């Protein structure tokens, strides 16, 4: 049935996009009313149940969204920092309890106290300006956010952004190269995907290039909303040229003429910056038909997501763009054969794509010489507010994690017992293991962890580990697409067991039951959400056994 819906959605495609329509119609009232659902269903030849099923899934289009005026960040970094309860209490001086919603995550992990109001994110000292911010009749107040950005080696992603003139010169030289030559440089670079799995990007590009299809798509997955990670936001807002140029190159290689940038609604500044850069390129003649007289056609479609972590999974993201409920698809077929609107599609995350201009400008061998043999290039690392110098650090792959944390970032400003690295599905690393890890895929895997986005959420000494595990299960239960039982039911049962153990002194968790639950989720889940959340729980049970022992039998 979903294939039929894909083809129906393709009738109007990206120019009159169904998902955009649902988001736009829900914007005024916070959700779709029955009349709007019927009208959209009739216009796109969908069933009303299909449209309602889609709209009721997302945080910002579901019925419970109605009446919300301000949103508190509920991400892991803000939770562990302990700032949000006081923030919520303070907000109640200006808003009724039912007017306060939640968002996850706003990417303000470097200073916390994060909230969203009237299309703008605020954090840290911004709350001191609350009277100005919440003055309905006054001017919009711009966030005073500022965070540290540092490179400890080669500046591939943190250098000075190219100007329009530089970008035009780059494109003119790229257009002189055959698509296969571009691909060969990327293959030589050995660039692996920066979203978590570390899959070589050249294989995706080559597969899509060779796939049969009258239309091909390049999709930038800018909805990987790992709590604790704000490296994508940095790139979208400060290095937008590199991200879009990476998509441009991917299109040139594969024969695509359209790129989709799917950006988290929780990053409003990112949406605005990408849209502005696209317009600047269009005015400069770098997009559209017959670019620079080359015969190459390419343009962008920017889509604002509506609040669903599962859309960071590539197949769920594709279903979302089509206006379907964002459920994970069974693979094979893989997106390079059957992706957006069932056409060949390359999906890559922001950081991966942003590396491509450097590779083509400087050569694949130059890139491959940076980092390690199997993990080439650099990696952006997001450090949270527990560090003395939090911010975005670009380090060469293979760099010492301990040196980054204790020397570059000047250590912790408070006692910390664990680092949750790589998002909710990443490993929970005890401080005692800090010296054993380098920032690369192999080092983390060999120690039973996962590098992922390389986001760092610090768990303070005083923060109960059981409560953190409950948070992870609760997050998964809320964000699950619901398609497979191991994820949908397993995350809920895990949350219930921990809640019961935490609140009822006479209840102890059966360790064998918990182990079986984690094994079922790991083996049986369709995607990395249900399959990955057991990793930090298993790490916690191993390294924090003494702290957790009172809750188990």
């Amino acid at each position: 049935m979903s294939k039929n819906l894909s083809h129906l959605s393709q009738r109007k495609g990206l120019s009159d996009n169904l998902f955009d329509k649902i988001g736009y119609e829900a914007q005024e009232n916070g959700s779709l009313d029955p009349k709007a659902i019927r009208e959209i269903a009739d216009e796109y030849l969908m069933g009303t149940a299909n449209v309602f099923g889609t709209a009721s899934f997302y945080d910002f289009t579901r019925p419970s969204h109605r009446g919300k005026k301000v949103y508190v960040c509920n991400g892991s970094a803000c939770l562990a920092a302990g700032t949000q309860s006081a923030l919520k209490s303070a907000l109640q001086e200006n808003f009724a309890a039912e007017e306060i919603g939640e968002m996850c995550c706003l990417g303000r992990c470097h200073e916390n106290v994060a909230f969203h109001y009237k299309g703008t994110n605020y954090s840290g000292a911004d709350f001191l300006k609350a009277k100005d911010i919440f003055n309905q009749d006054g001017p919009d107040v711009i966030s005073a956010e500022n965070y540290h950005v540092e490179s400890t080696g080669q500046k591939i992603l943190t250098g000075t952004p190219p100007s329009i003139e530089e970008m035009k010169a780059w494109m003119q030289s790229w257009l002189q190269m055959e698509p296969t030559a571009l691909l060969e440089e990327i293959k030589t670079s050995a660039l692996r995907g920066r979203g978590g799995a570390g899959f070589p990007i050249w294989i995706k590009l080559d597969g899509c290039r060779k796939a049969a299809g009258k239309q091909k798509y390049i999709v930038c997955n800018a909805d990987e909303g790992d709590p604790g990670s704000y490296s994508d936001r940095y790139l979208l807002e400060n290095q937008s040229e590199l991200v879009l140029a990476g998509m441009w190159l991917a299109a040139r290689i594969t024969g695509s003429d359209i790129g989709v940038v799917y950006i988290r609604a929780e990053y409003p500044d990112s949406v605005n910056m990408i849209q502005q850069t696209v317009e600047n390129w269009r005015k400069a003649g770098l997009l559209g038909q017959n670019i620079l007289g080359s015969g190459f056609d390419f343009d962008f479609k920017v889509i604002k997501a509506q609040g669903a972590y599962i859309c960071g999974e590539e197949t769920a993201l594709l279903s979302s763009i089509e206006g379907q409920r964002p459920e994970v698809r069974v693979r094979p077929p893989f997106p390079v054969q059957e992706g957006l609107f069932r056409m060949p599609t390359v999906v890559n995350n922001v950081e991966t794509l942003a590396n491509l201009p450097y590779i083509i400008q400087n050569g694949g061998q130059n890139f491959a010489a940076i980092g390690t043999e199997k993990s080439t290039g650099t990696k952006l690392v997001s450090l949270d507010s527990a560090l003395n110098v939090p911010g975005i650090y670009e380090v060469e792959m293979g760099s010492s994690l301990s040196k980054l944390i204790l020397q570059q970032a000047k250590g912790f400003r408070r006692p910390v017992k664990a680092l949750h690295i790589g998002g909710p599905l990443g490993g929970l690393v005890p401080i005692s293991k800090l010296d054993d890890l380098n920032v690369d895929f192999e080092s983390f895997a060999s120690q039973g962890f996962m590098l992922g986005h390389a986001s760092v959420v610090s768990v303070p000494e005083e923060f109960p580990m059981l409560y953190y595990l409950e948070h992870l299960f609760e997050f998964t239960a809320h964000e699950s697409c619901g398609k497979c039982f191991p994820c949908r039911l397993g995350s809920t049962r895990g949350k219930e067991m921990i809640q019961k153990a935490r609140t009822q002194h006479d209840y102890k968790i059966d360790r064998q039951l918990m182990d079986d639950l984690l094994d079922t989720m790991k083996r049986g889940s369709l995607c990395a959400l249900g399959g990955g959340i057991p990793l930090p729980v298993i790490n916690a049970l191993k390294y924090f056994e003494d702290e957790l022992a009172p809750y188990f039998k």
Side-chain angles (χ1 to χ4, degrees):
M1 184 62 178
S2 60
K3 286 190 177 184
N4 293 335
L5 295 177
S6 296
H7 294 310
L8 282 173
S9 179
Q10 190 183 23
R11 290 173 54 251
K12 298 198 174 187
L14 295 171
S15 58
D16 190 8
N17 182 249
L18 172 56
F19 180 70
D20 266 354
K21 182 79 168 184
I22 291 172
Y24 177 79
E25 291 295 332
Q27 191 170 0
E28 183 175 353
N29 297 317
S31 66
L32 296 180
D33 57 37
K35 181 175 181 290
I37 289 174
R38 287 193 300 272
E39 290 176 349
I40 293 174
D42 289 343
E43 181 180 352
Y44 289 85
L45 304 182
M46 298 283 185
T48 54
N50 298 115
V51 177
F52 177 77
T54 296
S56 62
F57 184 90
Y58 297 93
D59 289 343
F60 311 137
T61 58
R62 62 180 48 161
S64 58
H65 182 66
R66 282 181 177 269
K68 304 301 182 190
K69 294 183 178 179
V70 65
Y71 304 86
V72 175
C73 178
N74 65 358
S76 304
C78 282
L79 174 78
T83 62
Q84 302 308 87
S85 294
L87 170 62
K88 189 174 289 188
S89 297
L91 289 174
Q92 289 179 350
E93 297 178 8
N94 299 87
F95 302 95
E98 60 272 15
E99 293 176 328
I100 301 175
E102 292 186 339
M103 283 187 175
C104 182
C105 146
L106 298 182
R108 299 299 186 100
C109 318
H110 58 91
E111 60 184 4
N112 311 122
V113 201
F115 64 99
H116 177 96
Y117 178 66
K118 290 178 65 176
T120 301
N121 289 344
Y122 299 94
S123 57
D126 283 329
F127 193 67
L128 299 175
K129 301 179 293 185
K131 289 184 180 179
D132 294 326
I133 293 172
F134 301 136
N135 181 359
Q136 300 290 335
D137 300 322
D140 291 338
V141 177
I142 304 301
S143 170
E145 180 202 25
N146 183 32
Y147 56 88
H148 182 75
V149 177
E150 179 180 330
S151 172
T152 61
Q154 184 68 45
K155 290 186 177 182
I156 294 177
L157 300 172
T158 55
T160 303
S163 66
I164 283 287
E165 291 74 21
E166 288 175 302
M167 187 58 63
K168 183 176 181 179
W170 287 6
M171 289 183 178
Q172 285 174 329
S173 66
W174 298 344
L175 288 166
Q176 300 303 311
M177 299 176 67
E178 290 295 323
T180 52
L182 296 171
L183 179 63
E184 190 61 31
E185 292 295 342
I186 295 169
K187 182 178 180 180
T188 301
S189 76
L191 172 64
R192 296 170 63 180
R194 301 312 199 219
F199 190 77
I201 182 175
W202 78 268
I203 296 179
K204 285 188 177 182
L205 294 172
D206 191 43
C208 186
R209 183 179 70 88
K210 293 176 179 176
K214 61 182 180 181
Q215 175 69 59
K216 298 180 181 181
Y217 297 97
I218 304 299
V219 176
C220 175
N221 183 352
D223 196 49
E224 289 185 320
D226 287 343
S229 173
Y230 51 104
S231 54
D232 282 1
R233 187 169 74 85
Y234 162 75
L235 291 171
L236 292 165
E237 294 169 17
N238 298 278
Q239 302 286 353
S240 57
E241 296 85 357
L242 298 184
V243 178
L244 297 181
M247 296 180 69
W248 194 100
L249 284 164
R252 176 74 174 153
I253 291 167
T254 59
S256 170
D257 64 358
I258 186 70
V260 181
V261 193
Y262 185 97
I263 309 177
R264 309 184 70 226
E266 294 89 342
Y267 292 173
D269 291 340
S270 298
V271 176
N272 294 336
M273 179 55 71
I274 289 294
Q275 288 176 331
Q276 183 60 58
T277 303
V278 168
E279 286 305 311
N280 291 342
W281 281 23
R282 193 171 287 128
K283 291 176 183 177
L286 305 183
L287 297 175
Q289 303 292 311
N290 192 26
I291 298 171
L292 302 177
S294 65
F296 175 51
D297 304 336
F298 185 67
D299 214 325
F300 289 103
K301 168 68 176 180
V302 180
I303 293 180
K304 184 173 77 171
Q306 294 297 331
Y309 177 78
I310 193 60
C311 289
E313 197 282 332
E314 62 179 6
T315 63
L317 182 152
L318 297 175
S319 292
S320 177
I321 295 173
E322 295 172 0
Q324 298 192 57
R325 189 179 175 91
E327 292 182 345
V328 174
R329 298 177 184 177
V330 177
R331 290 167 290 186
F334 294 94
V336 291
Q337 285 94 33
E338 192 174 297
L340 182 60
F341 304 123
R342 306 293 163 167
M343 296 296 176
T345 304
V346 170
V347 184
N348 270 115
N349 86 318
V350 173
E351 187 174 344
T352 309
L353 291 163
N355 277 285
L356 297 188
Y358 179 93
I359 292 171
I360 302 303
Q361 283 300 104
N362 297 276
Q365 288 187 345
N366 181 294
F367 186 91
I370 302 168
T372 71
E373 181 181 356
K374 294 183 178 180
S375 294
T376 60
T378 64
K379 183 74 190 76
L380 295 183
V381 181
S382 309
L383 299 183
D384 74 353
S385 65
L387 279 298
N388 282 304
V389 188
I392 298 294
Y393 289 78
E394 183 176 14
V395 302
E396 293 189 1
M397 283 285 201
S399 300
S400 164
L401 179 63
S402 177
K403 182 179 179 181
L404 171 63
I405 295 291
L406 301 179
Q407 295 183 31
Q408 268 91 37
K410 310 300 182 186
F412 300 99
R413 65 179 69 192
R414 56 181 174 173
V416 168
K417 62 184 174 184
L419 302 178
H420 196 179
I421 301 177
L425 317 180
L428 199 57
V429 180
I431 292 298
S432 61
K433 298 289 289 183
L434 205 59
D435 290 334
D436 299 333
L437 293 171
N438 296 324
V439 182
D440 61 61
F441 298 110
E442 290 70 38
S443 173
F444 271 70
S446 68
Q447 296 291 327
F449 307 118
M450 187 181 78
L451 180 63
H453 248 81
S455 55
V456 175
V457 173
S458 305
V459 182
E461 284 280 5
E462 72 276 8
F463 197 97
M465 187 55 69
L466 190 74
Y467 184 34
Y468 195 77
L469 297 184
E470 180 185 342
H471 160 72
L472 295 179
F473 274 120
E474 187 173 28
F475 173 85
T476 307
H478 179 268
E479 299 294 348
S480 174
C481 77
K483 185 166 184 175
C484 69
F485 287 173
C487 177
R488 185 179 80 197
L489 300 180
S491 57
T492 302
R493 295 292 89 82
K495 177 188 70 173
E496 290 171 348
M497 282 194 288
I498 292 179
Q499 282 181 341
K500 194 172 181 180
R502 188 171 60 83
T503 58
Q504 298 182 22
H505 297 296
D506 59 342
Y507 175 77
K508 305 288 185 183
I509 300 172
D510 185 322
R511 177 58 187 269
Q512 185 61 55
L513 182 62
M514 176 61 78
D515 288 345
D516 289 346
L517 174 68
L518 296 173
D519 186 62
T520 299
M521 293 183 70
K522 183 178 179 180
R523 292 171 180 266
S525 297
L526 274 175
C527 81
L529 178 55
I533 205 67
L535 177 61
V537 181
I538 291 170
N539 292 154
L541 292 172
K542 177 180 179 180
Y543 294 109
F544 297 93
E545 185 176 10
D546 291 343
E547 180 184 342
L548 295 171
Y551 302 99
F552 287 83
K553 62 180 179 181

